[in-house]
Amino acid sequence: MKKFNSVVLSVALGSALSTSAVAGPLLINQLGFTPESEKLAIVPGSDANELEVRDLNGKTVLKMDAPMVYDWEYSGEEVQTYDFSAVKTPGTYRLYRGGEYLGNPIVIGDCVYEELTKGAIKWFYYQRASMPIEAQYGGKWVRAAGHPDDQVIVYGTDARTAPGYEKAVGKKHPKAGQNVMINSSKGWYDAGDYGKYIVNSGITVFTLLEMYEDFPTYMDTLSWNIPRELKNYPALLEEVKYNLDWMLTMQDVDGGVYHKVTTLMFGASVMPELDGAPRYAIIKNVTATLDFAAVMAQASVIYKKADAAYAETCLKAAEKAYAWAKKYPKAFYKQPSDVQTGEYMHGGEDGKDEFRWAAAELYRAKVAYGAGKDKAAAGYLADLKKNKFTPDGAWWGNVNMLAAFRVAKDAATFGADLNKAAKKVVMDEANNLRAVGDTSGYHLPAFPWSWNWGSNSAMANNAMVLLHAYYLTGDKSYVDGAQQVLDYLLGKNPMEISYVTGFGYRSARFPHHRPSEGDLVDDPVPGMLVGGPHLGKQDINLDGKELWKCPNYAAADKPALAYIDNRCSYATNEVAINWNAPLAYISGALQAVYLGNKAASVK
């Protein structure tokens, strides 16, 4: 950080283009702000001019002196941050410098994030497998049903060998060399490809159900245009059930859960109905089984009011899965040599975080069902007590923070000691993030390791930590930190782009997403959060021969600049369900908080 010492109008924006550069770029949340939200604008450079906020009649409502100049290591820029939080009257405004306006108009309104929340959730409808997307619900993004998945082959040596197979299935076990088939229909396509993955579904379902549980009153007021078949269900719970139904099909009769349903290799960029290669349910393992157990237990609590029978089904499945994981704690997934689809397994996996999360969810569920003192519940609680929380998470590869969220908000269920330990993990992480957000050039609560594949999801998960700190303390500074993340995702970034398709003045238009590539529709499906910038460049040949001819992206040497809005860039412009879920969460939670809602899940 340094004070300004000269007037410099240079701008380091990589390949970004300014939408209106009369007096220079303005990097800001392109959707706007609520009256009570923190309102920050970034101006690259170090000039010493003041800014004015004017309404559309030209009246000046706020004058701001030139602030400190910060160097932001992640983009190599000098930037200034202007704070106009004092402007609270709903309306449309512009920022002026030297009599000329910067950037696009700025909206202040009570519900500026509501449509974003609905759009981010509705995207899951567009990701549904095994059903068509009809015009009355999908608009111009109609498509035929893809992947019925009613004849999925159980992969290789993982054919059903569980005791009691014939009794459970009602037919003899196939002889050697014969395929075992399961019906594994429904579910969401995971990302830009057409695979369905339990591990990634786990954190995704958790995040969406957590949003419902934290703000049920607000979420019950929201509706979006999807087919409604379950009248007793809130819209969000009906959407999530579509994926839970698929997850239930992935549990074998012995309780173990298959890792994924995919083809052996990634398919071409075609519409789903044209992707006809055989599909496989691939390899039961402990991490998939525990992720399954955790979300099924979570669902058993949340769905109990709307559908008691379904909730009990989920709880029984969760308990059966946990028992299998206890029996096979070292049964980690290993990618077969002839399978090239996503692994969702990382080096150093020990299963402790998955056991921690599943035990927390199962114990809470048993208490909710009045069985908190039975033998199984005692086992879950004992496992949780001896498996201490760690200062990690959250992403699909480490779900420790999901367990910490659960326990930190529920002293009544888990007791003072566990509750205190979980709170410490959440608050330490939140305080570290807040310190970075308060002092960094872009006021973005991000760690160096946040800049990886799916960096935008890492940022959104950081915001979830900050929001949970707010629920635990009532300190609005944590809300401001989450707001800073949403601002970044929606345009307050060096690329001057909203990373959410269809939202903002200048948003991502060419995601790496097979339906968007194959549907012949110019506009991408709205509401998708693209992966975001990082220096991995897995889709670029780094030997000088550029695989996809993306020179600006290939030359980027700062993580916040290493992004290109191009279908070829699966490393920076792919979409994924576990990236959209935290986007939906933070936009929905912030909107609910600004409307005066309190987190209903804190006990």
Side-chain angles (χ1 to χ4, degrees), residues 292-369:
F292 172 97
V295 296
M296 288 299 163
Q298 180 190 20
S300 74
V301 175
I302 297 172
Y303 283 80
K304 189 176 180 182
K305 181 179 178 180
D307 190 337
Y310 188 73
E312 289 182 10
T313 295
C314 291
L315 182 56
K316 289 178 181 178
E319 294 203 84
K320 194 173 183 180
Y322 194 87
W324 188 94
K326 291 280 285 185
K327 187 176 181 179
Y328 303 105
K330 301 297 183 182
F332 297 110
Y333 179 77
K334 183 178 180 180
Q335 183 91 308
S337 60
D338 61 341
V339 177
Q340 297 180 13
T341 51
E343 287 191 57
Y344 285 110
M345 177 59 62
H346 62 90
E349 175 65 76
D350 60 11
K352 289 182 179 180
D353 54 308
E354 286 88 1
F355 269 110
R356 194 175 302 132
W357 179 32
E361 295 290 358
L362 271 160
Y363 180 69
R364 182 182 73 135
K366 295 292 281 186
V367 171
Y369 276 79

Side-chain angles (χ1 to χ4, degrees), residues 378-397:
Y380 305 140
L381 184 60
D383 286 351
L384 184 59
K385 285 181 176 179
K386 69 184 180 184
N387 187 1
K388 294 183 179 180
F389 298 105
T390 59
D392 302 312
W395 61 295
W396 63 260

Side-chain angles (χ1 to χ4, degrees), residues 94-111:
R94 290 201 107 133
L95 288 185
Y96 281 76
R97 180 176 64 193
E100 297 179 318
Y101 63 77
L102 288 79
N104 295 104
I106 301 165
V107 174
I108 297 177
D110 291 328
C111 295

